[in-house]
Amino acid sequence: MVSNKKILLSGITATGKLTLANYIGAIKNMVKLQDEYENYIFIADLHALTLPIDPKELENNRRNIFALFLACGIDTNKSTLFFQSDVLEHGLMNWLILTNTTIGELSRMTQFKDKSSKIKTANGMETIPTGLLMYPTLMVADILLYNADVIPVGIDQKQHVELTRNLATRLNNKFKTNFKVPEPYIPEVGAKIMSLVEPTKKMSKSDKNEKASIYLLDDPEVAYKKIMKAVTDSEGKIYLSDDKPGIKNLLTIYSALKNISLQETEQLFLEKNYGELKQAVGQEVKLFLIEIQSKYTEAIKNIDIEAKKGAIKARETANKNLKSLMKGIGLDNESK
Ligand code: ATP
Ligand code: MG
């Protein structure tokens, strides 16, 4: 069946446990966009190798994330959900992409400069993992393999989509391919959920302080307590203001989970005190986690079947787009 829908590609790196911020900022939108776009959603387990990671931890992360996608509402009849490492085409495509880039181009990437500068100062140039330099070429490969139109990303990844746009144009000119030049997609409500401990910093799955984040697999009672202890301010009045990041964050979490606007949420709590707000948010978070986790228990049983189904569909698309580039480059292996 040929679909006229635009193609959307999105992935989450298997580097840690998913947080409520990953749900509100990313997964919730993917679920919402399932009907509008042809969705390819993957667990970026190859990208998780960029920096050293323990094999057991990687295996746990990738399976947890897959099951959480299902539990959060990714419907595999609408979206193609797969493990990146199940589609071997990513490896070969990465080689074809990186042989069309320069070291200068890759070492200018902000993320590479940030992450490698930390390692360089400590150990010297030769210890920077090559994967850190090549992270963007694998990302370009991910996108071009599905010939995606739109890539939902946070600001940190925008430069990599820019590189993909350059590469798509470069390959099309050089090899007469037909890759689309993808657009970054920044969600309308740029939901940025903040740390519960330092509300001026974003909530991150790589934050070492477990009290700063609600993990989707947290014990719901523990999560409730984290909300009750969330850092706020000493004013004692509830209203929306950038000068009150802790309160704004709690209101944002409530509004996202209840699917009501921030302004409506503010109205609900104008006359309430901080304790009452925290109880209400804690209760919503608790209910949400209970619901997700009950679905998760079911979902985890279906991972292998679902992953196989996703991989078959993903491979078919990836293979077609890989072959078109191979042909252009002069690697026309139809005989195989
Ligand atoms: P890390 O600390 O390892 O970078 P992360 O929590 O930032 O982890 P990513 O894997 O980088 O998670 O991003 C996954 C998705 O979650 C992205 O779409 C990103 O925009 C979104 N996301 C991450 N943090 C937040 C946040 N605090 N608020 C809203 N969305 C977020
Ligand atoms: Mg991040």
Side-chain angles (χ1 to χ4, degrees):
M1 197 176 64
V2 180
S3 156
N4 293 325
K5 289 180 181 169
K6 285 197 170 179
I7 297 174
L8 179 146
L9 179 97
S10 197
I12 292 192
T13 313
T15 39
K17 300 184 285 185
L18 289 194
T19 68
L20 186 63
N22 297 137
Y23 172 74
I24 294 175
I27 303 175
K28 193 164 176 259
N29 278 320
M30 293 180 202
V31 173
K32 202 175 83 189
L33 295 169
Q34 286 184 115
D35 293 312
E36 197 180 324
Y37 290 93
E38 184 181 340
N39 270 4
Y40 286 88
I41 297 171
F42 65 102
I43 290 79
D45 48 9
L46 297 177
H47 274 107
L49 302 176
T50 307
L51 292 170
I53 182 163
D54 174 69
K56 279 217 177 70
E57 192 193 336
L58 176 60
E59 189 53 36
N60 279 337
N61 289 345
R62 62 201 288 279
R63 292 182 72 82
N64 288 350
I65 297 175
F66 198 105
L68 279 170
F69 269 129
L70 294 172
C72 290
I74 295 298
D75 175 349
T76 57
N77 292 318
K78 296 178 182 172
S79 295
T80 304
L81 177 64
F82 61 102
F83 290 113
Q84 186 184 24
S85 61
D86 264 344
V87 183
L88 301 183
E89 279 77 0
H90 287 254
L92 180 48
M93 189 69 164
N94 181 37
W95 178 252
L96 300 184
I97 301 293
L98 81 89
T99 48
N100 280 286
T101 58
T102 62
I103 292 177
E105 204 169 24
L106 298 182
S107 53
R108 274 198 301 275
M109 293 286 130
T110 316
Q111 186 170 293
F112 172 74
K113 284 200 277 190
D114 286 352
K115 295 200 173 171
S116 64
S117 66
K118 287 175 200 148
I119 299 170
K120 211 172 1 183
T121 348
N123 299 320
M125 183 71 184
E126 72 281 2
T127 57
I128 296 171
T130 314
L132 213 50
L133 182 68
M134 312 233 300
Y135 179 104
T137 62
L138 184 57
M139 184 162 156
V140 173
D142 298 338
I143 298 171
L144 297 188
L145 275 180
Y146 302 92
N147 212 2
D149 297 272
V150 283
I151 322 294
V153 279
I155 295 295
D156 58 327
Q157 295 294 335
K158 214 174 149 214
Q159 201 185 22
H160 295 158
V161 180
E162 239 358 275
L163 179 72
T164 312
R165 292 170 60 83
N166 291 342
L167 258 300
T169 310
R170 188 177 308 167
L171 297 172
N172 287 346
N173 288 339
K174 232 167 139 180
F175 304 118
K176 308 283 166 270
T177 46
N178 251 325
F179 290 114
K180 288 183 228 158
V181 180
E183 298 283 346
Y185 175 98
I186 317 282
E188 291 160 36
V189 185
K192 190 173 178 191
I193 303 301
M194 310 310 272
S195 152
L196 299 176
V197 177
E198 280 176 85
T200 47
K201 238 179 64 181
K202 84 169 191 80
M203 189 183 284
S204 275
K205 64 173 140 62
S206 60
D207 195 325
K208 295 275 179 287
N209 185 352
E210 299 236 327
K211 292 187 183 122
S213 306
I214 302 286
Y215 300 102
L216 296 180
L217 294 179
D218 263 348
D219 177 327
E221 287 300 335
V222 171
Y224 182 86
K225 287 189 188 125
K226 285 185 187 177
I227 296 286
M228 292 307 290
K229 290 199 178 130
V231 170
T232 51
D233 55 65
S234 56
E235 193 191 23
K237 284 199 190 116
I238 298 174
Y239 58 96
L240 278 170
S241 162
D242 288 338
D243 295 334
K244 294 167 73 67
I247 292 295
K248 187 175 177 187
N249 196 34
L250 291 174
L251 292 171
T252 306
I253 293 174
Y254 189 89
S255 105
L257 292 181
K258 291 288 265 189
N259 277 314
I260 57 174
S261 75
L262 252 183
Q263 283 67 28
E264 262 177 272
T265 309
E266 182 190 34
Q267 288 302 318
L268 286 177
F269 291 101
L270 274 180
E271 303 297 325
K272 302 275 192 315
N273 63 40
Y274 287 7
E276 289 168 318
L277 171 65
K278 285 182 173 177
Q279 278 170 14
V281 177
Q283 188 60 20
E284 277 316 308
V285 168
K286 205 164 101 177
L287 289 177
F288 172 71
L289 293 189
I290 290 170
E291 188 198 331
I292 292 294
Q293 291 174 12
S294 73
K295 291 185 184 154
Y296 175 84
T297 317
E298 267 313 295
I300 201 120
K301 296 181 200 151
N302 300 330
I303 292 182
D304 295 323
I305 293 174
E306 292 292 358
K308 212 172 259 173
K309 177 170 139 186
I312 290 171
K313 171 86 192 297
R315 269 181 216 134
E316 196 183 305
T317 308
N319 195 271
K320 192 180 77 193
N321 290 312
L322 172 69
K323 288 273 171 62
S324 77
L325 179 58
M326 288 178 73
K327 196 167 174 191
I329 285 179
L331 300 166
D332 196 358
N333 292 352
E334 281 310 320
S335 53
K336 288 210 177 127

